[in-house]
Amino acid sequence: CKEKEKQQHIYIQVNVGRDPNKHGISIENVMEAAREISNNEHISLRGIMTIPAKGLILSEISSVYRKTREIRDEIYSSINKNCQNISMGMSSDYETAIAEGATHIRIGTGLFGVR
């Protein structure tokens, strides 16, 4: 981005559910990462995202999504006002994600079927 004098908009993936099968930054390290990214001239932190573990019940999914929103809220209020978005929720739980504050959802299976 620096060589092309562009600014790349990104989301931080946070492993809110601490699922060993998922990637992303840990809850413990996300604030430091947000600060570091926010200090980069060519990267613009626009939001965070999470994917909950498979097999959770709805109340557990809701808890993961609520914590994700709280993390975004903290980044927004104390580090970076550009971090406004939350990508969470898929075809099976997008309503819960929206209720917990999602601004972006992923509904591939709902649109295209099981792949």
Side-chain angles (χ1 to χ4, degrees), residues 33-113:
R35 278 188 206 87
E36 198 171 311
I37 291 166
S38 296
N39 288 328
N40 190 305
E41 178 181 355
H42 297 283
I43 300 176
S44 178
L45 178 57
R46 295 302 173 113
I48 67 171
M49 64 165 292
T50 198
I51 302 171
K54 291 183 180 193
L56 298 180
I57 61 172
L58 194 55
S59 63
E60 293 169 322
I61 292 169
S62 184
S63 178
V64 167
Y65 290 162
R66 185 174 311 112
K67 180 63 177 172
T68 303
R69 180 183 37 80
E70 290 168 356
I71 293 168
R72 189 284 317 260
D73 290 349
E74 186 174 350
I75 293 170
Y76 176 84
S77 66
S78 65
I79 297 173
N80 188 330
K81 296 288 186 197
N82 289 321
C83 186
Q84 298 178 6
N85 300 307
I86 309 168
S87 177
M88 59 187 184
M90 296 190 207
S91 296
S92 63
D93 61 14
Y94 71 91
E95 291 170 327
T96 301
I98 291 169
E100 293 295 349
T103 60
H104 295 74
I105 55 173
R106 297 174 301 277
I107 53 171
T109 300
L111 294 172
F112 305 110

